Amino acid sequence: MEELFSKSFLSILRRSERVMVSTGAGISAESGVPTFRGPGGLWNDFKPEELATPQAFKRDPKKVWEWYDWRRQLLAKVDPNPGHHALAALEKIVPQFFLFTQNIDGLHQKAGNKTVYELHGSIWQVRCTREAKPAFEMHENPISQLPPICGCGAPLRPNVVWFGENLPADITAMAWEVAKACDAFFLIGTSATVQPAASLPWVAKENGAIVVEINPEETPATEIADESFRANAGMILPQLVEALKNHHG
Ligand code: BV8
């Protein structure tokens, strides 16, 4: 059986001090979470400009909350898949591991990853639309009142990054810093189309990292990938972690 992973590839990974992973909706697909693009993608049935922008929320906060409440109820019924669990295992075997995700579903944390940098926020957190108070967890499911109201009387909003909104400055700065310093960069389950997250593999490549892509489809980043596996994350990641554990070269 043709080796899935070459010895030289495993050696490079084994010698990698700093490993960065950037995930998108595809890593949660095998858990039953719809992706955004492609077959069954959310954007086939819903318009991002009507649901995932600050203007949409201003226009109709109840409609936006109905969508996020629906997604929370869906997410509460799913569990991490072998792809998530393999990344939790990888975190334990590489010297320095950095996991950045565009996903707001919290499944990496549920799989046991200690440190997860959420570039686009979390669907399980809310923040006040009036007071500049820190975001806080809200796990009521379904949410009894839409929109949920802050103690100050103003509507709460999901603590997620909508289109046209800046990403959290500290996490974005960290992502660029780590991408510049990492030895290996994994791009997993993302169409690499939404900026600024989509630029990270190029930052890593320009700074000498090996770029590894895992996606059943080609993406704009495939051209810069040193290894690009046309496969599902839940199928290939457990095998990669196993091969790494048994590779001592
Ligand atoms: C910003 C949170 C500054 C909310 C999300 C023109 C050019 C360049 C940029 C722009 C532009 N016009 C506007 C922009 C900026 C815009 C952007 O990039 N738009 C794109 C669409 C062109 N970006 C922004 O607005 C960002 N902010 O730039 O601020 C600014 C300020 C003012 C004005 C302008 C700019 C904010 C972006 C964040 C938006 N929030 N989510 C929520 O989730 O509700 S984005 C959301 O969609 C996700 O978080 C994720 O980021 C993105 C979806 O991408 P993916 O995760 O990659 O998912 P997708 O479905 O696309 O692909 C899944 C992949 O998985 C596929 O390739 C598939 O083959 C693969 N797959 C499937 N199954 C598996 C698998 N892979 C492995 N295993 C499997 N089993």
Side-chain angles (χ1 to χ4, degrees):
M1 215 281 281
E2 165 68 24
E3 284 299 317
L4 207 42
F5 313 109
S6 68
K7 296 230 173 322
S8 58
F9 172 58
L10 292 174
S11 299
I12 292 168
L13 290 184
R14 255 278 176 243
R15 286 198 300 274
S16 294
E17 178 68 23
R18 286 176 294 275
V19 172
M20 178 169 179
V21 175
S22 176
T23 65
I27 196 162
S28 296
E30 293 156 85
S31 295
V33 181
T35 61
F36 290 81
R37 292 165 184 74
L42 287 170
W43 297 148
N44 301 335
D45 310 327
F46 304 101
K47 292 191 178 48
E49 61 278 6
E50 284 176 17
L51 294 163
T53 65
Q55 297 79 5
F57 187 78
K58 205 181 247 3
R59 235 184 353 259
D60 188 345
K62 187 165 183 305
K63 179 180 176 182
V64 170
W65 263 114
E66 278 161 355
W67 189 54
Y68 281 95
D69 188 44
W70 169 74
R71 291 171 70 188
R72 287 163 57 102
Q73 292 178 59
L74 184 155
L75 287 171
K77 298 192 199 85
V78 303
D79 291 315
N81 64 63
H84 296 108
H85 291 296
L87 289 180
L90 191 60
E91 183 173 40
K92 295 191 178 76
I93 62 173
V94 299
Q96 295 183 57
F97 181 85
F98 303 89
L99 175 54
F100 290 82
T101 187
Q102 297 166 68
N103 301 343
I104 63 175
D105 58 29
L107 290 177
H108 286 303
Q109 294 91 329
K110 216 171 169 185
N113 273 105
K114 297 281 167 293
T115 313
V116 181
Y117 298 101
E118 296 175 308
L119 291 162
H120 294 166
S122 168
I123 202 169
W124 303 112
Q125 293 174 354
V126 295
R127 69 176 193 264
C128 178
T129 53
R130 178 189 295 157
E131 302 158 305
K133 284 192 308 193
F136 54 95
E137 299 281 323
M138 186 181 80
H139 289 274
E140 183 198 19
N141 212 0
I143 301 169
S144 52
Q145 182 186 12
L146 295 177
I149 302 298
C150 175
C152 76
L156 293 169
R157 61 162 283 173
N159 188 39
V160 300
V161 179
W162 283 325
F163 289 100
E165 292 187 320
N166 291 317
L167 278 58
D170 53 350
I171 294 178
T172 308
M174 175 88 174
W176 256 253
E177 198 192 314
V178 174
K180 288 182 182 140
C182 68
D183 306 298
F185 182 101
F186 284 82
L187 190 68
I188 304 172
T190 179
S191 58
T193 53
V194 173
Q195 298 296 348
S199 302
L200 287 168
W202 276 268
V203 175
K205 183 79 175 181
E206 283 147 20
N207 288 275
I210 179 175
V211 172
V212 182
E213 181 178 47
I214 297 174
N215 192 317
E217 311 273 333
E218 285 210 353
T219 74
T222 304
E223 64 179 17
I224 62 161
D226 300 278
E227 294 275 347
S228 193
F229 298 96
R230 288 285 82 67
N232 286 346
M235 191 281 287
I236 209 150
L237 277 173
Q239 295 182 67
L240 176 61
V241 171
E242 216 37 51
L244 266 179
K245 279 184 182 161
N246 307 330
H247 181 81
H248 304 293

